[in-house]
């Protein structure tokens, strides 16, 4: 399931809807300020202390306009001084400053109304705070929505539209109202909005349904705060410590987005108490109102490989911090995924972006970026600007390959990095006299890496190593070093030490004899482990690791995934007769799980043995699931 998945929509339409609904939510959230109180003002004060300036002015998306209360047949008395349509407070009734919303309409090229949006505003009045106590039960708030929603339904019907043509959205409290309407959609306006798309942003309340998507950042103390519990007492009882957000996971929410703002970069400002009582924990809630965050994610070159469970870190540092902090998946008390594979998305400024020891996908976007890759399997896209790829160690530690479409690949120091849109490669060591000083910079050329040092007689140019390259089709390739390219490829090695890289597509890799390096890349791959000391990395996708024969083999799997949509499978049917034999053969060695069998071992790095015993392994004579069948 893609990161932003919307019921009945394909990937491209879901991306577009997620961006549009976000812009509509921010537009309706930006102007509200009633009765001398504004949560935005409070957060701006915090933001000046803790992070970048708030982008608080949001324009209505192109092609959209506001629909007046008069057009909807509503009495003018329900419109407040800021032009919002208001709802009654469940506790205080029709007082000034109750819940607010805007109704917006999109016109097509012929001037016809094609879609309608109900966009709820966030907190901007003390009355809103009183109403927080009704979020989880929801029915009292839903009752106040009925008159307005009935009028919106009549307006849409008069223009030939159905509930499928409606977008319901909102940010913060507005996101909670979005979820409440979704929960009671079968009852409101005679069920007209039952099949609408509900897009909640930074919502504290979550309702789970196929047509609901909640988008927010895990380091936002407000997002998912009261979860999906049916009453506030239960919700508070499930919080940690001093009303701390417990980082819940829901089927209708993305749960591993991180907004890397100034507070997140400098954890000494205390996110250790991830509670709404901690003002610094609100920083991500404020930074989340930056309009281009969602559009940057969906425009990433690597978006197609992001799933709903993926870790996605988005750069949002202020001007001063951008030259100090490296954006990446750092350790944080607000997450439990440190060290897991991650997608890192830069900004339109010059960013410092860093991967971890796991598999990383780093997209610099615009700006002159410095991108640091580590071990594991990494993909890098520099984007526009003059971008530098930084690799730990000396140039002599690496084999560098020139691939298609301007890509280069660097293999060494325990990792493989495939990069595109990179103008410079920097090695952190090997410069100065006798190669003992700090780093060396190289310009990426078509034929080699050109030492950027000014004097030609000191040149230390690096020639590209030889490799067999596939194309975008389905290739069958045998070779010592192979980069298959896109397509569903069948790769096999020699009797010696080989490097096989599947890249994109569903690939089959078998190194044969020798100690091989096997990288599946992007897609659901099949990787065969055989004689020798193979080292395998499946990359993204649900991968099948097949142990053949087991004779004289000691294999290592770097990235075996136990959870989520990309859960991998270890096929031990050739070497272990049943699950009982597997349990006897499995031991924990440090952080790794090691399976012993006659003639060899398989080590799964960073995998807890107790977790591995609960599925993810095939033994005996069981049939292979069709979805994992060998190419």
């Amino acid at each position: 399931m893609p990161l932003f998945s919307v019921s009945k929509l394909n990937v491209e339409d879901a991306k577009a809807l997620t961006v549009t609904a976000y812009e509509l939510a921010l537009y309706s959230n930006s102007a509200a300020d009633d009765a001398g109180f504004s949560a935005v003002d409070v957060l701006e004060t915090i933001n000046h202390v803790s992070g970048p300036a708030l982008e608080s002015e949001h324009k209505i998306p192109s092609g959209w306009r506001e629909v007046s209360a008069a057009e909807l047949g509503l009495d003018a008395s329900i419109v407040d001084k800021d032009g919002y349509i208001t709802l009654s407070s469940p506790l205080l009734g029709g007082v000034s400053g109750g819940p607010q919303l805007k109704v917006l309409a999109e016109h097509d090229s012929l001037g016809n109304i094609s879609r309608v949006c109900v966009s709820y505003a966030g907190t901007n009045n003390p009355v809103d705070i009183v109403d927080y106590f009704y979020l989880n039960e929801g029915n009292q708030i839903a009752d106040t929505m009925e008159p307005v929603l009935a009028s919106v339904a009549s307006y849409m019907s008069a223009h030939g539209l159905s509930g499928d043509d409606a977008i319901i959205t909102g940010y913060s409290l507005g996101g909670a109202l979005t979820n409440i309407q979704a929960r009671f959609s079968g009852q409101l306006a005679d069920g007209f909005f039952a099949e609408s798309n509900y897009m909640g942003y930074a919502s504290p309340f979550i309702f789970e349904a196929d047509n609901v998507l909640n988008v927010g950042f895990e380091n936002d103390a407000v997002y998912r705060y009261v979860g999906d519990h049916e009453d506030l007492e239960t919700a508070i009882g499930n919080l940690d410590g001093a009303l701390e957000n417990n980082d819940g996971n829901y089927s209708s929410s993305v749960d591993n987005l991180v907004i890397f703002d100034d507070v997140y970069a400098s954890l000494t400002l205390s996110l250790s108490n991830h509670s709404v009582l901690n003002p610094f924990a609100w920083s991500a809630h404020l930074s989340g109102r930056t309009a281009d965050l969602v559009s940057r994610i969906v425009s990433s070159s690597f978006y197609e490989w992001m799933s709903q469970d993926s870790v996605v870190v988005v750069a949002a540092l202020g001007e001063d911090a951008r030259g100090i902090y490296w954006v990446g998946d750092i350790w944080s008390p607000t997450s439990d995924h440190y060290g897991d594979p991650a997608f890192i998305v830069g900004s339109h400024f010059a960013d410092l972006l860093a991967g971890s020891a796991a598999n990383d996908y780093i997209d610099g976007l615009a700006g002159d970026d410095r991108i640091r890759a580590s071990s594991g399997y990494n993909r890098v896209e520099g984007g526009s600007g003059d971008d530098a790829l930084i690799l730990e160690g000396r140039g002599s530690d690496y084999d560098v390959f020139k691939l298609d479409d301007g890509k280069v690949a660097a293999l060494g120091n325990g990792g493989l990095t495939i990069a595109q849109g990179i103008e410079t490669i920097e090695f952190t060591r090997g410069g100065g006299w006798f190669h003992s000083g700090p780093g060396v910079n190289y310009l990426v050329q078509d034929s080699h890496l050109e030492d950027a040092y000014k004097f030609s007689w000191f040149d230390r140019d690096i020639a590209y190593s030889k490799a067999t390259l596939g194309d975008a089709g389905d290739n069958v390739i045998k070779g010592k070093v192979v980069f298959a390219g896109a397509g569903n490829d069948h790769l096999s090695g020699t009797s010696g030490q080989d490097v096989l890289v599947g890249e994109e597509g569903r690939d089959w890799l078998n190194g044969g004899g020798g100690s091989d390096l096997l990288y599946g890349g992007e897609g659901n791959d099949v990787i065969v482990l055989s004689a020798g000391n193979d080292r395998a990395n499946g990359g993204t996708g649900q991968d099948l690791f097949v142990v053949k024969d087991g004779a004289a083999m000691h294999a290592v799997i770097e990235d075996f995934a136990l959870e989520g949509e990309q859960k991998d499978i270890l096929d031990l049917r050739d070497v272990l007769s049943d699950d009982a034999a597997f349990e006897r053969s499995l031991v924990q060695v440090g952080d790794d799980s090691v399976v012993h069998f006659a003639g060899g071992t398989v080590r799964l790095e960073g995998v807890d043995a107790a977790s591995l015993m609960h599925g993810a392994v095939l033994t005996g004579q069981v049939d292979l699931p069709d979805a994992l069948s060998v190419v």
Side-chain angles (χ1 to χ4, degrees):
M1 180 184 295
L3 177 64
F4 299 138
S5 296
V6 180
S7 176
K8 301 178 183 178
L9 297 185
N10 61 33
V11 173
E12 291 303 315
D13 289 342
K15 286 165 57 177
L17 176 61
T18 305
V19 172
T20 298
Y22 190 48
E23 292 174 348
L24 292 167
L26 295 183
Y27 171 75
S28 298
N29 200 62
S30 61
D33 183 5
D34 200 350
F37 174 89
S38 173
V40 171
D41 291 339
V42 175
L43 291 175
E44 280 181 328
T45 301
I46 296 170
N47 198 53
H48 288 314
V49 176
S50 63
L54 170 68
E55 181 185 337
S56 58
E57 293 186 7
H58 300 289
K59 297 180 180 179
I60 192 169
S62 177
W64 289 82
R65 68 169 179 87
E66 291 191 28
V67 178
S68 68
E71 288 181 86
L72 297 170
L74 295 170
D75 192 275
S77 63
I78 70 168
V79 180
D80 67 17
K81 69 179 184 65
D82 294 312
Y84 284 84
I85 295 171
T86 59
L87 306 177
S88 297
S89 163
L91 179 64
L92 302 177
V95 298
S96 174
Q100 298 166 307
L101 62 91
K102 287 184 180 290
V103 178
L104 307 114
E106 180 187 42
H107 290 260
D108 62 22
S109 59
L110 299 176
N112 299 314
I113 295 177
S114 54
R115 287 188 294 182
V116 169
C117 173
V118 175
S119 183
Y120 294 100
T123 302
N124 57 79
N125 191 283
V127 174
D128 290 331
I129 298 174
V130 172
D131 290 342
Y132 291 173
F133 296 98
Y134 295 90
L135 293 181
N136 286 90
E137 292 181 353
N139 58 305
Q140 299 97 328
I141 293 177
D143 288 343
T144 70
M145 296 175 172
E146 172 62 32
V148 172
L149 294 180
S151 295
V152 175
S154 296
Y155 175 80
M156 293 183 65
S157 295
H159 287 83
L161 303 177
S162 67
D164 290 0
D165 301 309
I167 303 171
I168 316 300
T169 190
Y171 187 90
S172 190
L173 174 62
L177 298 178
T178 297
N179 280 267
I180 289 171
Q181 182 180 331
R183 179 177 172 184
F184 294 95
S185 61
Q187 305 167 29
L188 293 168
D190 293 328
F192 182 85
F193 298 100
E195 300 300 321
S196 301
N197 289 313
Y198 291 84
M199 310 292 290
Y201 296 92
S203 173
F205 172 67
I206 303 296
F207 177 67
E208 300 195 78
D210 289 343
N211 60 335
V212 178
L213 176 64
N214 285 287
V215 179
F217 296 95
E218 68 176 19
N219 50 317
D220 174 0
V222 176
Y223 181 49
R224 301 166 300 169
Y225 184 64
V226 294
D228 64 345
H229 303 288
E230 293 189 359
D231 60 78
L232 184 63
E233 181 180 0
T234 304
I236 292 176
N238 279 271
L239 297 175
D240 298 329
L243 299 182
E244 293 181 50
N245 191 326
N246 57 17
D247 193 28
N249 293 279
Y250 302 96
S251 62
S252 68
S253 65
V254 292
D255 302 311
N256 296 310
L257 296 190
V258 175
I259 184 167
F260 202 105
D261 60 8
D262 293 37
V263 167
Y264 196 78
S266 180
L267 294 174
T268 55
L269 288 175
S270 187
L271 285 179
S272 58
N273 187 311
H274 192 47
S275 166
V276 292
L277 302 179
N278 175 11
F280 291 110
W282 284 72
S283 175
H285 195 65
L286 175 66
S287 299
R289 297 178 71 247
T290 303
D292 72 338
L293 289 173
V294 171
S295 61
R296 275 196 275 142
I297 293 172
V298 302
S299 66
S300 170
S301 300
F302 305 127
Y303 179 81
E304 65 180 293
W305 301 313
M306 298 178 189
S307 69
Q308 192 169 351
D309 298 317
S310 294
V311 178
V312 183
V313 181
V314 187
L317 292 170
E319 182 177 0
D320 293 337
R322 281 195 294 271
I324 300 172
Y325 296 108
W326 289 84
V327 175
D329 187 24
I330 63 175
W331 179 89
S332 167
T334 65
S335 79
D336 61 358
H337 50 65
Y338 175 61
D340 289 347
F343 293 84
I344 302 166
V345 181
S347 71
H348 303 299
F349 303 100
D351 299 307
L352 303 176
L353 307 174
S356 67
N359 300 346
D360 295 301
Y361 289 74
I362 309 174
D363 195 338
L365 298 181
D368 299 340
D369 305 309
R370 293 173 58 78
I371 301 174
R372 193 170 64 201
S374 185
S375 55
Y377 174 80
N378 307 298
R379 289 288 304 271
V380 169
E381 174 59 60
S384 62
D386 189 0
D387 305 303
L389 172 64
I390 303 171
L391 299 172
E392 186 69 31
R394 303 170 184 265
S396 57
D397 297 332
Y398 292 84
D399 289 311
V400 182
F401 306 89
K402 189 69 167 65
L403 309 183
D404 56 350
D405 298 329
K407 290 185 290 189
V408 292
L411 176 67
N413 270 2
L416 171 65
T417 297
I418 299 176
Q420 190 166 10
I422 293 294
E423 286 69 40
T424 305
I425 293 180
E426 301 179 14
F427 297 99
T428 60
R429 298 179 58 202
W433 295 105
F434 304 107
H435 309 285
S436 60
V440 184
N441 298 343
Y442 289 88
L443 304 177
V444 177
Q445 305 290 323
D446 288 339
S447 58
H448 66 286
L449 295 184
E450 174 71 27
D451 186 349
Y453 194 63
K454 299 295 184 184
F455 301 100
S456 61
W457 54 87
F458 288 115
D459 269 358
R460 290 158 289 194
D461 295 348
I462 296 177
Y464 293 131
S465 299
K466 294 181 179 181
T468 302
L469 306 181
D471 55 28
D474 298 340
N475 302 293
V476 177
I477 306 175
K478 181 174 183 177
K480 190 170 184 62
V481 179
V482 178
F483 290 85
N488 302 322
D489 306 305
H490 191 289
L491 310 182
S492 54
T494 68
S495 59
Q497 183 174 359
D498 306 308
V499 179
L500 305 182
V501 185
E503 298 189 76
E504 301 176 36
R506 181 171 174 80
D507 305 310
W508 184 91
L509 292 76
N510 186 349
S515 300
D516 305 310
L517 297 176
L518 308 171
Y519 293 94
E522 296 74 40
N524 302 334
D525 304 308
V526 177
I527 300 178
V528 179
L529 306 171
S530 52
N533 298 322
D534 291 345
R535 192 167 187 90
N537 186 309
T540 62
Q542 185 179 40
D543 302 309
L544 175 67
F545 297 91
V546 182
V547 175
K548 284 293 184 184
D549 302 328
M553 67 163 293
H554 298 282
V556 175
I557 301 175
E558 296 180 347
D559 70 331
F560 194 84
L562 288 171
E563 299 178 344
E565 301 169 40
Q566 302 191 30
K567 181 178 179 180
D568 296 325
I569 300 291
L570 179 62
D571 185 352
L572 298 172
R573 292 177 298 168
D574 271 14
V575 295
L576 292 176
S577 59
D578 52 36
D579 290 348
F582 166 68
E583 292 184 16
R584 290 192 299 270
S585 71
L586 178 64
V587 296
Q588 187 79 39
V589 180
D591 294 331
D592 306 334
S593 293
V594 179
V595 182
H596 295 265
F597 42 81
T601 60
V602 174
R603 176 184 291 264
L604 284 70
E605 293 186 334
V607 173
D608 180 69
S611 299
L612 186 64
M613 292 175 65
H614 295 87
V617 176
L618 301 176
T619 63
Q621 302 300 312
V622 299
D623 293 330
L624 191 67
D626 290 341
L628 295 173
S629 60
V630 177
V631 176

